[in-house]
Amino acid sequence: MGGIDDDYARASCDNLANGSDHEYTLRQDNHPTDVGPFQKYLFSGACYVQIGQCYALVKQAIEQGRNFSDDQQLRSRLAAVWQNYVIQQSGAMSSAYAGLDAPNYEDQQWHWVHKLYQEAQQAGIEAMEQLLPALEQMDSEHLDLQQFFVSWAGACDQAYSRLIRSDAFARAIGEVVNTMLGAAKHE
Amino acid sequence: MSDETSVDVAAELDQFRKRYQQLNRQITAQQGQLDWSSPNSVVLEHGAMRLRHFEGGDLTQIPLLIVYSHVNQPCVIDLHPDHSLVKRIIEKGHRVYILDWGEVREPDRENDISVYVEEYIDAAVSYLQQHGGFEAVNLLGICQGGTFALCYACLHPTKVNKLVTLVTPVDFHAGDSLLTHWARFLDMNILASNPQNIPGTLITMLFQMMRPFEDMIRQVQQIDQPAVGRKLELMMKMDQWVYHCPDQPGRAFAQFVQGFFQENALVQDSLEIGGNQVRLDSLQMPVLNVFAKYDHLVPPESSAALKRFVDSSAYQELEFEGGHIGLLVSKKAQLTILPEIGTWLAEPVEYRPS
């Protein structure tokens, strides 16, 4: 643990940075830990590309006169982009840990980190369950990529805002920090 | 997927990729160091603290000491000449000094809040008294620095001529404060028994976790319609500033979380610094309280609570139609509220309680 994970950054963002056809993969065990002040453009941009790929599926469904709100594959892909982005944010925790002299943290159960991820995952799934029917109600004939992205990000923002104000999340983030501090070596 | 749809979306994403790559090249080419934009010199060092004097201003004016938050780099108030609180205040004729907390070193983990309020701020004030021949100085505190400045003004009311608080948390339980909500579950006894400095990366992480999707929309917009020239320069400096929170001294951090966030001791009259009780009703100078309507870090209700404790004839407040950082950096603030602060500081003091 600790340090920059170039493999992940490449796998996630090649699509944007190099134009390759890599799929955006979710690797909870191996997320980047130090994104740097400007890397956020890469990660946000990579999410945009992923959302663009989901948008293509929606356009196709509209063209074919199919409902897309029940499309499980689409819903999962949209939720995965949320999940990856949220994990990337909280992935900075590893970097924060690296600044503490806490040799025993590696051995902890990561209970509260997993709890955070679980909370985030559930919130993402629920947000997407609401987003797709709402989009279907719109004038989807004229739904463009920008609108689709803003709708997705807006739904994520609302869900995230509720998530981080919940007691469960606050408890989890508090315990993550407590665990870090407790594991730190006493000089 | 139909070929046509697939080609259309792919072409759009390809354009987006090219714009990203272009922005990335610009960022790589223009990346510089985070620093003050206005000329200044260090006139006093006390422990880690450095007192910086900025060039300009009228020597006959009462000096202004700016106290910035400990959790971010102070240079955000002078990142760029067109977006500089420091410059706007100097333009009104004031002599400006900034208390720079300096780099947190390993032994600082044992420092409590009294080191910062009673030693560092007091050392800076004493220097200005001695070198300017003034009985009292003007004090401007920002965010957590505003809370520290408030505490100092309560403890030493005769040393402060006028007090300005900017986006300053006072009642830590007022409004929708996400930081207060998160702080509820922090066990600061762990830190009290094992004081160690808190890495700045942890603070950065917590700030970045507050509204990542708003940030994402902004970043995608930036890729789509990239800023150029000075706008790009400022944007990059802001990105660097946001990303580089300084380390926090362990014991003082624990005291701040426990005393202010969890116990709300400042408004409960139960706060002690260096063995002395901090009472907000002991403020005996004109106070200008400035807060931001859309502040996501310090709810305006938290700042506005100061009104309850200050004599109404000595108290003024200004609400800025913007956010926490916008009040310090935005073009709108440069044209409106920051010059107003400079004007208020220049007005003669009519209020002096018995």
Side-chain angles (χ1 to χ4, degrees), chain A residues 15 17 34 44 60 63 160, chain B residues 1 5 17 21 209 219 243:
Chain A
N15 196 292
D34 185 1
S44 291
Q60 182 194 26
E63 283 169 7
Y160 188 83
Chain B
M1 189 179 306
T5 301
R17 285 189 193 99
Q21 286 158 2
M209 284 178 74
Q219 287 145 19
Y243 193 74

Side-chain angles (χ1 to χ4, degrees), chain B residues 7 21 25 33 43-44 48 56 60 74 87 139 156 171-172 191 194 208 220 236 241 243-244 252 276 280-281 334 344:
Chain B
V7 169
Q21 286 158 2
R25 279 194 296 273
Q33 243 186 342
V43 294
L44 174 72
T60 63
K87 223 164 178 258
L139 200 53
H156 305 280
D171 183 342
F172 283 70
L191 209 52
N194 177 20
Q208 300 222 336
V220 165
M236 288 173 61
W241 175 77
Y243 193 74
H244 286 116
N276 297 309
L280 285 173
D281 61 8
Q334 308 294 314
W344 182 84

Side-chain angles (χ1 to χ4, degrees), chain B residues 49-60:
Chain B
M49 183 274 278
R50 279 160 289 180
L51 180 63
R52 294 181 182 277
H53 173 233
F54 284 75
E55 285 180 15
D58 180 352
L59 285 176
T60 63

